[in-house]
Amino acid sequence: MRKRLDFVHNEKGFILPSVLLLTTFVLLNFSTNMLAYQHDLKITYNLIEQINAQTLFQMSYITYKKDYVPQNKDENLTYQFPNGIVNIRSKGYGEFIQLRFNIETNQSKVLFVSEMVKPAPNSNQFQEIE
């Protein structure tokens, strides 16, 4: 005669607690994965915005270098690009110029960057600061 498992066949209940445990595990796993997915979406959105802001900074910096006039050390310039607007304030400090970039992307994210540059003598180019 086969031996029967006594705790499975008695009337105290075995199926309901096991189903509740399995359901709890499945719902916990599902909700954890949903939260991780939402977090990944936010991270991806922020990384795309950071790349857009860095691209705007690089484009405006190169454009400012092309448009630089040595006589105008204190000026405000605004550049509009397809993925945002950049406002540059320049202020002269002796032989150096401080550039303050106010970068606003199309999704209204704002980033501020400050850069010190040294104009090359008798030219509209910049020297590298070491």
Side-chain angles (χ1 to χ4, degrees):
M1 187 167 146
R2 254 180 10 190
K3 184 176 179 181
R4 297 172 75 184
L5 296 176
D6 202 25
F7 65 90
V8 175
H9 297 288
N10 65 7
E11 295 181 16
K12 292 183 181 174
F14 173 75
I15 301 297
L16 182 64
S18 60
V19 168
L20 287 177
L21 182 65
L22 181 64
T23 304
T24 304
F25 178 72
V26 168
L27 288 176
L28 184 64
N29 189 16
F30 178 74
S31 62
T32 303
N33 286 335
M34 283 299 289
L35 287 174
Y37 177 70
Q38 289 174 351
H39 187 258
D40 288 346
L41 284 178
K42 288 179 186 176
I43 287 175
T44 303
Y45 175 76
N46 288 335
L47 284 174
I48 290 171
E49 283 301 305
Q50 180 69 30
I51 290 170
N52 282 337
Q54 289 292 329
T55 303
L56 286 169
F57 169 73
Q58 291 294 329
M59 290 190 311
S60 62
Y61 183 67
I62 296 298
T63 307
Y64 180 81
K65 283 172 63 172
K66 288 179 185 174
D67 296 343
Y68 174 70
V69 178
Q71 291 78 21
N72 298 339
K73 288 193 175 185
D74 296 334
E75 63 183 347
N76 289 334
L77 296 172
T78 301
Y79 295 114
Q80 188 161 0
F81 297 105
N83 51 347
I85 298 171
V86 180
N87 184 16
I88 302 174
R89 287 188 316 179
S90 62
K91 185 164 177 105
Y93 292 103
E95 62 183 27
F96 296 102
I97 297 175
Q98 181 181 21
L99 302 175
R100 292 183 182 169
F101 295 84
N102 181 5
I103 302 167
E104 183 175 349
T105 63
N106 287 340
Q107 283 73 29
S108 299
K109 295 287 183 177
V110 178
L111 178 73
F112 299 99
V113 179
S114 182
E115 183 81 22
M116 290 293 281
V117 293
K118 182 178 180 184
N122 300 326
S123 118
N124 61 351
Q125 299 296 320
F126 295 120
Q127 295 178 351
E128 294 293 324
I129 298 177
E130 299 172 13

